[in-house]
Amino acid sequence: MNELEDYFRDEANEIVEGLTRDLLALEKNPADSAILARCMRLAHTLKGAARVVRQTRIGEMAHTIEDALAPFRDTDETITSDYVSDLLRILERIREETMKLGATIAPGPASDGKGKGTTKPAPPPIDDRLETVRVDIADMDALLEGLSEASIQIGPLNGGLAALQHALRLAVLLREELELGQTMGERGRSPRLAAQFAEITQSLVHAERDINASLGRIERELGEVQSRAATLRLLPVGAILGTLELTARDTAEALGKNVSFSARGGEVRLEGHVLSAVRDALLHVIRNAVDHGIETFEERLAWGKPEAGRIHLDIERRGRMVAFRCSDDGRGIDVAAVRKAAVHRGLASSEEELDEEATLALVFRSGLTTAAEVTEISGRGVGLDVVREVASRLRGSVRLSSKLGEGTTIEIEVPVSLSSIPVLSVMFGGSTALVPLDAVRGTRRLTASERLQGPDGERILFGDRAVPFTSLGAVLASEGERHDLPEACSAVIVQSGEAWIALGVDRLLGTMDVVLRPLPPGAGAPAAVAGAAFDAQGDPLLVLDPPALARTGARRGAAMETRREAPKRLPILVIDDSLTTRMLEQSILEAAGYEVDLSASAEEGLRKAKARKYGLFIVDVEMPGMDGFEFTATTRADPALRDVPVIIVTSLATSKDREKGAAAGASAYIVKGEFDQKHFVRKVAELLGAAS
């Protein structure tokens, strides 16, 4: 393709997108003469451009659109929806012709030529338009102005350099004076030497002040230039809104529904490849909303809703993230139907008790569909799982809420840019690595005693979780290398999706923004490395890949689950009013391969003990209501529970308390202040073995 056709392709891209958007707006506002005039002007421009590059067919179709709109300009007649559909079909054929030149324009309505009602949404081709940036002259002027200002600030540096050179000359003279003084004596030279020293000092002070001030100004100016340059490579979300509206219209037409699409926040900007991926996800969200969410005309009337279903997309900038919130006023999600479909597809067990939140999360699983039959639009179980995959790939998130009879909202949150990312810098074994800050859920300082050892490795407590723990050095090390952590270390807790891992490092260095660069081919980096970045000195640093790191923790968790299934032992019931103690004991026991239930009070524990068969009770003493001694005595008096061993774990350490525990029937008495993990696990194994 020659250079002129390249220019035409880009121009045709923009004109077709603008004409599509304006025709859809004209359909909603048929009496708006300004929109009509804009449509005719765009069609006329496309016709002229096509003729310049001798694309006769495209020019003729553009001329047809222009002629078709002319009667509505000269009369009071208003354009109809059917008429707009015909013009959009012509635009689709223009897209096809432009694609033959190598253009890849945003998807439009596909038609088989049989008229209204036969339109079906076309899958989106790759959109070159979202990889190309058109810069406003004002933005470019601002960038050039910043560069000019930075250049001006170099002037004082030259002055500072001259001052340093003068100081150097004075230093040479001073040295000569000193050398001369050694041979001729010092008489009469002290005043001159003092003056020269003062002049040198003053010159150096001025030079240091001027250079520091100039460097500060240059740093600020270049920072602003960098910020402006970063903005120039961002695209407005408005670039994809026409495509999304067209998709909603076409899907509704194919299903015989009436849908109104609206959006707010089209001026928000983000990187082109991020916007392209979000567009693909939103196409699935919108088709799903029209197909599964918006009711038929008769259903909406029966529900007392307006004839036209409503889909609204709200775009909001949140710091370095952008949220796309797509809402519809349709029927909402039938949780029971989703649960039934999940069981049918083998994604959930019929015996599993899923709450509403867990059930709604299933709609993002691949293969799940509630459609009764497969159509061109739905029924294959491919749709919202793509949305989840896109959000994960962009290091974002997706959330869903729904109310039966009122509608559904899906929110996709993604970063503005993937090129520059905030990271946490950490030191391990003398090396530095960078962890993307979006995946960091917290940090904490650890002692060796807080790292709980189990058969599958170490874990630490973070909130109410027992998170798999490993040294970052071990994750990145070659096979056979050892990277031992000091007695006291820092842990960085990382989450990706449902997977968690805690990374042990020597210390935390701080946060910064870096430009992520791919590693060169053949670099042989570990799988947990996403790329590299350069520090202020120009040295390369590894940027870690959170999904790969978290999978390390997930694999260890899966290994633990496998170990749990092997011994068919009765579960253990832990009773303590302290959340921290419950979680600590649970993590130790689960790491050792036991199944654990928890109770926050002795009364609750007693109810659970009567409802399920346990192999061991572990109980605190000091709790509101019934205490641990009473619980132990009560279970010893119950024929169904008297054979289940009881371990009392308490802070009460007197001999009188120990005697009271033994009198109540406790099999073992452990003082929290003397708690030893290995002894605790051995005692549990001993009592469970005796009970079995």
Side-chain angles (χ1 to χ4, degrees):
M1 182 188 295
N2 60 39
E3 188 176 2
L4 196 57
E5 285 182 337
D6 278 337
Y7 285 125
F8 171 70
R9 181 194 65 184
D10 294 339
E11 184 180 17
N13 257 337
E14 292 191 8
I15 292 175
V16 170
E17 177 66 27
L19 197 48
T20 300
R21 192 165 50 244
D22 285 340
L23 283 173
L24 291 170
L26 188 61
E27 183 180 32
K28 295 177 182 177
N29 307 280
D32 194 323
S33 58
I35 299 176
L36 177 63
R38 197 160 58 239
C39 288
M40 294 186 66
R41 188 163 57 249
L42 287 172
H44 183 80
T45 302
L46 180 58
K47 177 181 69 175
R51 287 176 175 173
V52 168
V53 295
R54 298 182 180 179
Q55 294 297 322
T56 308
R57 181 164 171 74
I58 294 176
E60 288 174 349
M61 287 188 284
H63 181 66
T64 300
I65 293 175
E66 187 181 12
D67 279 352
L69 292 171
F72 300 101
R73 179 190 60 186
D74 303 327
T75 66
D76 293 334
E77 185 181 359
T78 55
I79 198 165
T80 65
S81 181
D82 287 346
Y83 207 91
V84 170
S85 295
D86 292 337
L87 295 179
L88 288 172
R89 291 187 185 97
I90 296 174
L91 271 182
E92 178 61 27
R93 290 198 288 273
I94 292 176
R95 284 186 178 89
E96 293 169 358
E97 289 296 320
T98 313
M99 288 176 71
K100 293 176 184 177
L101 300 174
T104 49
I105 300 179
S111 172
D112 59 8
K114 296 180 183 178
K116 187 176 179 179
T118 60
T119 306
K120 64 183 180 183
I126 297 171
D127 196 343
D128 283 346
R129 195 170 42 79
L130 297 182
E131 300 298 334
T132 306
V133 179
R134 176 167 289 198
V135 179
D136 290 340
I137 295 297
D139 291 336
M140 183 57 75
D141 286 345
L143 182 62
L144 292 174
E145 182 183 341
L147 287 171
S148 299
E149 187 64 31
S151 298
I152 292 171
Q153 297 300 332
I154 294 176
L157 283 178
N158 292 326
L161 180 61
L164 285 176
Q165 290 170 341
H166 179 58
L168 180 61
R169 285 194 298 271
L170 290 175
V172 171
L173 289 174
L174 178 61
R175 186 185 63 187
E176 292 174 351
E177 288 280 347
L178 291 173
E179 289 173 351
L180 186 62
Q182 289 176 351
T183 57
M184 298 181 63
E186 299 296 328
R187 189 177 55 187
R189 297 192 183 277
S190 294
R192 283 203 308 275
L193 288 176
Q196 288 172 342
F197 269 122
E199 193 174 352
I200 288 174
T201 302
Q202 189 176 16
S203 295
L204 291 174
V205 168
H206 285 316
E208 190 270 342
R209 184 187 61 200
D210 291 344
I211 290 174
N212 275 343
S214 296
L215 285 175
R217 286 192 294 270
I218 288 174
E219 189 175 41
R220 287 193 298 273
E221 290 295 335
L222 289 178
E224 290 180 13
V225 170
Q226 184 181 24
S227 176
R228 288 172 186 150
T231 301
L232 289 181
R233 63 194 309 274
L234 304 181
L235 291 170
V237 176
I240 67 170
L241 293 183
T243 298
L244 300 179
E245 182 172 4
L246 200 55
T247 297
R249 182 185 187 279
D250 292 343
T251 307
E253 187 176 292
L255 296 170
K257 296 181 179 181
N258 191 356
V259 174
S260 164
F261 177 88
S262 61
R264 185 185 68 85
E267 72 283 355
V268 175
R269 303 171 75 93
L270 62 166
E271 276 187 355
H273 59 282
V274 175
L275 184 58
S276 179
V278 170
R279 179 204 57 194
D280 294 345
L282 289 173
L283 287 173
H284 287 289
V285 171
I286 288 170
R287 287 184 187 132
N288 193 77
V290 176
D291 188 15
H292 295 287
I294 303 299
E295 308 93 336
T296 62
F297 171 72
E298 294 78 13
E299 287 177 302
R300 292 186 69 82
L301 286 183
W303 280 97
K305 294 183 178 182
E307 175 185 343
R310 185 184 66 85
I311 297 177
H312 178 73
L313 179 64
D314 193 60
I315 304 108
E316 180 187 4
R317 178 75 180 262
R318 298 175 180 170
R320 62 173 300 275
M321 306 294 284
V322 175
F324 294 80
R325 187 178 177 87
C326 188
S327 306
D328 68 68
D329 67 345
R331 59 172 60 92
I333 295 177
D334 186 340
V335 175
V338 171
R339 191 179 291 117
K340 182 179 178 182
V343 171
H344 177 69
R345 296 275 180 173
L347 300 175
S349 167
S350 57
E351 300 174 358
E352 227 176 326
E353 292 186 7
L354 298 175
D355 59 18
E356 183 172 330
E357 183 179 353
T359 303
L360 288 176
L362 291 172
V363 303
F364 294 107
R365 299 282 295 275
S366 177
L368 181 73
T369 178
T370 56
E373 59 183 13
V374 175
T375 67
E376 292 285 351
I377 297 169
S378 66
R380 295 178 176 84
V382 178
L384 293 184
D385 63 308
V386 175
V387 177
R388 182 187 62 175
E389 187 275 328
V390 166
S392 175
R393 176 158 45 89
L394 295 177
R395 304 190 190 108
S397 62
V398 60
R399 288 178 285 275
L400 180 148
S401 61
S402 183
K403 193 165 184 181
L404 196 61
E406 295 184 16
T408 299
T409 297
I410 293 179
E411 181 178 284
I412 305 170
E413 191 175 65
V414 296
V416 172
S417 169
L418 291 179
S419 299
S420 175
I421 59 173
V423 294
L424 173 65
S425 179
V426 299
M427 176 74 74
F428 69 100
S431 300
T432 303
L434 308 176
V435 186
L437 206 54
D438 290 343
V440 176
R441 295 295 169 264
T443 61
R444 57 168 297 190
R445 194 71 180 161
L446 289 176
T447 61
S449 62
E450 293 176 290
R451 291 149 51 182
L452 311 174
Q453 184 65 49
D456 70 317
E458 291 182 307
R459 288 177 175 256
I460 67 168
L461 287 180
F462 180 71
D464 59 354
R465 292 177 175 273
V467 181
F469 175 84
T470 188
S471 161
L472 177 57
V475 173
L476 299 178
S478 303
E479 191 172 347
E481 281 188 66
R482 284 180 56 85
H483 281 274
D484 296 327
L485 288 167
E487 281 293 309
C489 67
S490 293
V492 180
I493 294 86
V494 174
Q495 180 193 11
S496 178
E498 298 300 315
W500 292 68
I501 190 169
L503 301 170
V505 298
D506 296 345
R507 60 193 178 97
L508 310 178
L509 301 178
T511 61
M512 58 180 161
D513 286 339
V514 298
V515 176
L516 179 63
R517 304 176 187 276
L519 293 173
V529 173
F534 292 99
D535 62 13
Q537 288 72 43
D539 297 322
L541 302 174
L542 294 179
V543 179
L544 304 182
D545 181 26
L549 291 171
R551 282 196 296 272
T552 303
R555 283 194 298 269
R556 292 176 54 192
M560 186 182 73
E561 292 298 327
T562 303
R563 290 187 180 94
R564 274 188 201 157
E565 291 174 6
K568 299 295 182 181
R569 296 179 288 204
L570 291 173
I572 298 171
L573 179 61
V574 173
I575 307 166
D576 199 302
D577 63 329
S578 166
L579 173 63
T580 302
T581 303
R582 290 199 305 271
M583 300 311 299
L584 174 65
E585 293 175 0
Q586 181 187 30
S587 63
I588 293 172
L589 293 169
E590 286 184 342
Y594 298 104
E595 181 184 354
V596 180
D597 283 350
L598 302 176
S599 291
S601 69
E603 291 84 356
E604 181 189 6
L606 205 54
R607 288 193 297 272
K608 287 188 175 183
K610 292 178 178 178
R612 186 181 186 190
K613 187 171 177 60
Y614 290 97
L616 177 67
F617 299 136
I618 299 175
V619 61
D620 184 25
V621 172
E622 296 178 302
M623 296 181 287
M626 179 185 290
D627 64 23
F629 294 140
E630 292 177 76
F631 173 87
T632 304
T634 301
T635 57
R636 300 310 86 180
D638 188 327
L641 303 176
R642 65 165 60 125
D643 294 329
V644 180
V646 177
I647 297 179
I648 290 179
V649 181
T650 178
S651 57
L652 302 178
T654 66
S655 56
K656 184 177 180 181
D657 291 319
R658 293 175 188 271
E659 291 170 3
K660 193 172 180 181
S667 306
Y669 193 100
I670 297 175
V671 178
K672 290 180 180 179
E674 303 167 0
F675 187 87
D676 178 84
Q677 180 182 328
K678 292 180 181 178
H679 171 71
F680 175 67
V681 172
R682 278 199 304 271
K683 179 58 67 174
V684 168
E686 175 188 321
L687 291 175
L688 279 173
S692 57

PDB file of all heavy atoms in Angstrom, residues 525-546:
ATOM      1  N   ALA A 525      15.113 -15.842  32.206  1.00  0.00           N
ATOM      2  CA  ALA A 525      14.618 -15.403  33.513  1.00  0.00           C
ATOM      3  C   ALA A 525      13.632 -16.419  34.078  1.00  0.00           C
ATOM      4  O   ALA A 525      12.996 -17.160  33.329  1.00  0.00           O
ATOM      5  CB  ALA A 525      13.942 -14.045  33.384  1.00  0.00           C
ATOM      6  N   PRO A 526      13.477 -16.476  35.411  1.00  0.00           N
ATOM      7  CA  PRO A 526      12.480 -17.370  36.013  1.00  0.00           C
ATOM      8  C   PRO A 526      11.063 -17.026  35.552  1.00  0.00           C
ATOM      9  O   PRO A 526      10.797 -15.908  35.096  1.00  0.00           O
ATOM     10  CB  PRO A 526      12.651 -17.108  37.519  1.00  0.00           C
ATOM     11  CG  PRO A 526      13.998 -16.496  37.666  1.00  0.00           C
ATOM     12  CD  PRO A 526      14.257 -15.741  36.411  1.00  0.00           C
ATOM     13  N   ALA A 527      10.158 -17.988  35.681  1.00  0.00           N
ATOM     14  CA  ALA A 527       8.778 -17.788  35.228  1.00  0.00           C
ATOM     15  C   ALA A 527       8.078 -16.682  36.001  1.00  0.00           C
ATOM     16  O   ALA A 527       7.116 -16.095  35.518  1.00  0.00           O
ATOM     17  CB  ALA A 527       7.996 -19.094  35.377  1.00  0.00           C
ATOM     18  N   ALA A 528       8.546 -16.391  37.204  1.00  0.00           N
ATOM     19  CA  ALA A 528       7.882 -15.389  38.044  1.00  0.00           C
ATOM     20  C   ALA A 528       8.298 -13.964  37.696  1.00  0.00           C
ATOM     21  O   ALA A 528       7.931 -13.030  38.394  1.00  0.00           O
ATOM     22  CB  ALA A 528       8.183 -15.665  39.517  1.00  0.00           C
ATOM     23  N   VAL A 529       9.049 -13.770  36.622  1.00  0.00           N
ATOM     24  CA  VAL A 529       9.512 -12.440  36.231  1.00  0.00           C
ATOM     25  C   VAL A 529       8.709 -11.958  35.026  1.00  0.00           C
ATOM     26  O   VAL A 529       8.597 -12.646  34.011  1.00  0.00           O
ATOM     27  CB  VAL A 529      11.023 -12.456  35.896  1.00  0.00           C
ATOM     28  CG1 VAL A 529      11.463 -11.112  35.329  1.00  0.00           C
ATOM     29  CG2 VAL A 529      11.825 -12.787  37.143  1.00  0.00           C
ATOM     30  N   ALA A 530       8.126 -10.742  35.155  1.00  0.00           N
ATOM     31  CA  ALA A 530       7.316 -10.178  34.073  1.00  0.00           C
ATOM     32  C   ALA A 530       8.151  -9.349  33.111  1.00  0.00           C
ATOM     33  O   ALA A 530       7.795  -9.180  31.950  1.00  0.00           O
ATOM     34  CB  ALA A 530       6.197  -9.312  34.654  1.00  0.00           C
ATOM     35  N   GLY A 531       9.257  -8.783  33.572  1.00  0.00           N
ATOM     36  CA  GLY A 531      10.083  -7.931  32.725  1.00  0.00           C
ATOM     37  C   GLY A 531      11.133  -7.250  33.572  1.00  0.00           C
ATOM     38  O   GLY A 531      11.499  -7.723  34.655  1.00  0.00           O
ATOM     39  N   ALA A 532      11.624  -6.130  33.072  1.00  0.00           N
ATOM     40  CA  ALA A 532      12.674  -5.408  33.775  1.00  0.00           C
ATOM     41  C   ALA A 532      12.392  -3.918  33.732  1.00  0.00           C
ATOM     42  O   ALA A 532      11.597  -3.434  32.925  1.00  0.00           O
ATOM     43  CB  ALA A 532      14.037  -5.717  33.157  1.00  0.00           C
ATOM     44  N   ALA A 533      13.054  -3.197  34.623  1.00  0.00           N
ATOM     45  CA  ALA A 533      12.992  -1.738  34.649  1.00  0.00           C
ATOM     46  C   ALA A 533      14.369  -1.243  35.052  1.00  0.00           C
ATOM     47  O   ALA A 533      15.195  -2.004  35.575  1.00  0.00           O
ATOM     48  CB  ALA A 533      11.930  -1.255  35.634  1.00  0.00           C
ATOM     49  N   PHE A 534      14.620   0.039  34.787  1.00  0.00           N
ATOM     50  CA  PHE A 534      15.920   0.614  35.122  1.00  0.00           C
ATOM     51  C   PHE A 534      15.783   1.558  36.310  1.00  0.00           C
ATOM     52  O   PHE A 534      14.825   2.330  36.390  1.00  0.00           O
ATOM     53  CB  PHE A 534      16.496   1.360  33.922  1.00  0.00           C
ATOM     54  CG  PHE A 534      16.870   0.455  32.780  1.00  0.00           C
ATOM     55  CD1 PHE A 534      16.015   0.291  31.706  1.00  0.00           C
ATOM     56  CD2 PHE A 534      18.059  -0.244  32.796  1.00  0.00           C
ATOM     57  CE1 PHE A 534      16.340  -0.550  30.663  1.00  0.00           C
ATOM     58  CE2 PHE A 534      18.398  -1.095  31.760  1.00  0.00           C
ATOM     59  CZ  PHE A 534      17.536  -1.252  30.687  1.00  0.00           C
ATOM     60  N   ASP A 535      16.758   1.477  37.217  1.00  0.00           N
ATOM     61  CA  ASP A 535      16.739   2.398  38.349  1.00  0.00           C
ATOM     62  C   ASP A 535      17.389   3.724  37.953  1.00  0.00           C
ATOM     63  O   ASP A 535      17.767   3.932  36.787  1.00  0.00           O
ATOM     64  CB  ASP A 535      17.427   1.782  39.568  1.00  0.00           C
ATOM     65  CG  ASP A 535      18.905   1.480  39.322  1.00  0.00           C
ATOM     66  OD1 ASP A 535      19.464   1.969  38.316  1.00  0.00           O
ATOM     67  OD2 ASP A 535      19.508   0.760  40.146  1.00  0.00           O
ATOM     68  N   ALA A 536      17.519   4.629  38.913  1.00  0.00           N
ATOM     69  CA  ALA A 536      18.033   5.966  38.621  1.00  0.00           C
ATOM     70  C   ALA A 536      19.471   5.931  38.107  1.00  0.00           C
ATOM     71  O   ALA A 536      19.900   6.838  37.389  1.00  0.00           O
ATOM     72  CB  ALA A 536      17.948   6.830  39.875  1.00  0.00           C
ATOM     73  N   GLN A 537      20.222   4.882  38.456  1.00  0.00           N
ATOM     74  CA  GLN A 537      21.601   4.772  37.986  1.00  0.00           C
ATOM     75  C   GLN A 537      21.711   4.042  36.653  1.00  0.00           C
ATOM     76  O   GLN A 537      22.806   3.840  36.129  1.00  0.00           O
ATOM     77  CB  GLN A 537      22.451   4.018  39.031  1.00  0.00           C
ATOM     78  CG  GLN A 537      22.746   4.828  40.285  1.00  0.00           C
ATOM     79  CD  GLN A 537      21.524   5.004  41.160  1.00  0.00           C
ATOM     80  OE1 GLN A 537      20.770   4.050  41.369  1.00  0.00           O
ATOM     81  NE2 GLN A 537      21.310   6.200  41.662  1.00  0.00           N
ATOM     82  N   GLY A 538      20.548   3.601  36.111  1.00  0.00           N
ATOM     83  CA  GLY A 538      20.558   2.912  34.829  1.00  0.00           C
ATOM     84  C   GLY A 538      20.772   1.417  34.936  1.00  0.00           C
ATOM     85  O   GLY A 538      20.962   0.732  33.923  1.00  0.00           O
ATOM     86  N   ASP A 539      20.765   0.889  36.166  1.00  0.00           N
ATOM     87  CA  ASP A 539      20.940  -0.556  36.350  1.00  0.00           C
ATOM     88  C   ASP A 539      19.599  -1.270  36.201  1.00  0.00           C
ATOM     89  O   ASP A 539      18.578  -0.792  36.714  1.00  0.00           O
ATOM     90  CB  ASP A 539      21.519  -0.847  37.739  1.00  0.00           C
ATOM     91  CG  ASP A 539      22.903  -0.250  37.914  1.00  0.00           C
ATOM     92  OD1 ASP A 539      23.671  -0.273  36.936  1.00  0.00           O
ATOM     93  OD2 ASP A 539      23.199   0.252  39.018  1.00  0.00           O
ATOM     94  N   PRO A 540      19.577  -2.432  35.524  1.00  0.00           N
ATOM     95  CA  PRO A 540      18.305  -3.149  35.340  1.00  0.00           C
ATOM     96  C   PRO A 540      17.870  -3.857  36.618  1.00  0.00           C
ATOM     97  O   PRO A 540      18.689  -4.393  37.367  1.00  0.00           O
ATOM     98  CB  PRO A 540      18.643  -4.165  34.242  1.00  0.00           C
ATOM     99  CG  PRO A 540      20.113  -4.378  34.356  1.00  0.00           C
ATOM    100  CD  PRO A 540      20.699  -3.083  34.834  1.00  0.00           C
ATOM    101  N   LEU A 541      16.558  -3.831  36.877  1.00  0.00           N
ATOM    102  CA  LEU A 541      15.965  -4.520  38.024  1.00  0.00           C
ATOM    103  C   LEU A 541      14.839  -5.411  37.523  1.00  0.00           C
ATOM    104  O   LEU A 541      14.101  -5.034  36.598  1.00  0.00           O
ATOM    105  CB  LEU A 541      15.407  -3.512  39.034  1.00  0.00           C
ATOM    106  CG  LEU A 541      16.389  -2.490  39.609  1.00  0.00           C
ATOM    107  CD1 LEU A 541      15.635  -1.484  40.483  1.00  0.00           C
ATOM    108  CD2 LEU A 541      17.474  -3.181  40.419  1.00  0.00           C
ATOM    109  N   LEU A 542      14.683  -6.582  38.126  1.00  0.00           N
ATOM    110  CA  LEU A 542      13.623  -7.502  37.724  1.00  0.00           C
ATOM    111  C   LEU A 542      12.279  -7.039  38.279  1.00  0.00           C
ATOM    112  O   LEU A 542      12.164  -6.688  39.448  1.00  0.00           O
ATOM    113  CB  LEU A 542      13.924  -8.915  38.225  1.00  0.00           C
ATOM    114  CG  LEU A 542      15.145  -9.616  37.619  1.00  0.00           C
ATOM    115  CD1 LEU A 542      15.311 -11.002  38.239  1.00  0.00           C
ATOM    116  CD2 LEU A 542      15.027  -9.722  36.105  1.00  0.00           C
ATOM    117  N   VAL A 543      11.253  -7.054  37.413  1.00  0.00           N
ATOM    118  CA  VAL A 543       9.882  -6.768  37.835  1.00  0.00           C
ATOM    119  C   VAL A 543       9.153  -8.106  37.897  1.00  0.00           C
ATOM    120  O   VAL A 543       9.110  -8.853  36.908  1.00  0.00           O
ATOM    121  CB  VAL A 543       9.170  -5.820  36.851  1.00  0.00           C
ATOM    122  CG1 VAL A 543       7.740  -5.554  37.311  1.00  0.00           C
ATOM    123  CG2 VAL A 543       9.939  -4.510  36.717  1.00  0.00           C
ATOM    124  N   LEU A 544       8.589  -8.422  39.045  1.00  0.00           N
ATOM    125  CA  LEU A 544       7.982  -9.736  39.258  1.00  0.00           C
ATOM    126  C   LEU A 544       6.578  -9.800  38.671  1.00  0.00           C
ATOM    127  O   LEU A 544       5.904  -8.778  38.496  1.00  0.00           O
ATOM    128  CB  LEU A 544       7.943 -10.052  40.750  1.00  0.00           C
ATOM    129  CG  LEU A 544       9.302  -9.989  41.461  1.00  0.00           C
ATOM    130  CD1 LEU A 544       9.161 -10.365  42.921  1.00  0.00           C
ATOM    131  CD2 LEU A 544      10.321 -10.890  40.777  1.00  0.00           C
ATOM    132  N   ASP A 545       6.135 -11.017  38.383  1.00  0.00           N
ATOM    133  CA  ASP A 545       4.820 -11.266  37.785  1.00  0.00           C
ATOM    134  C   ASP A 545       3.884 -11.813  38.865  1.00  0.00           C
ATOM    135  O   ASP A 545       4.002 -12.982  39.256  1.00  0.00           O
ATOM    136  CB  ASP A 545       4.960 -12.285  36.651  1.00  0.00           C
ATOM    137  CG  ASP A 545       3.641 -12.579  35.968  1.00  0.00           C
ATOM    138  OD1 ASP A 545       2.756 -11.702  36.007  1.00  0.00           O
ATOM    139  OD2 ASP A 545       3.484 -13.670  35.395  1.00  0.00           O
ATOM    140  N   PRO A 546       2.940 -10.983  39.383  1.00  0.00           N
ATOM    141  CA  PRO A 546       2.080 -11.424  40.495  1.00  0.00           C
ATOM    142  C   PRO A 546       1.311 -12.718  40.223  1.00  0.00           C
ATOM    143  O   PRO A 546       1.253 -13.579  41.102  1.00  0.00           O
ATOM    144  CB  PRO A 546       1.138 -10.231  40.707  1.00  0.00           C
ATOM    145  CG  PRO A 546       1.924  -9.057  40.238  1.00  0.00           C
ATOM    146  CD  PRO A 546       2.711  -9.564  39.063  1.00  0.00           C
TER     147      PRO A 546
END
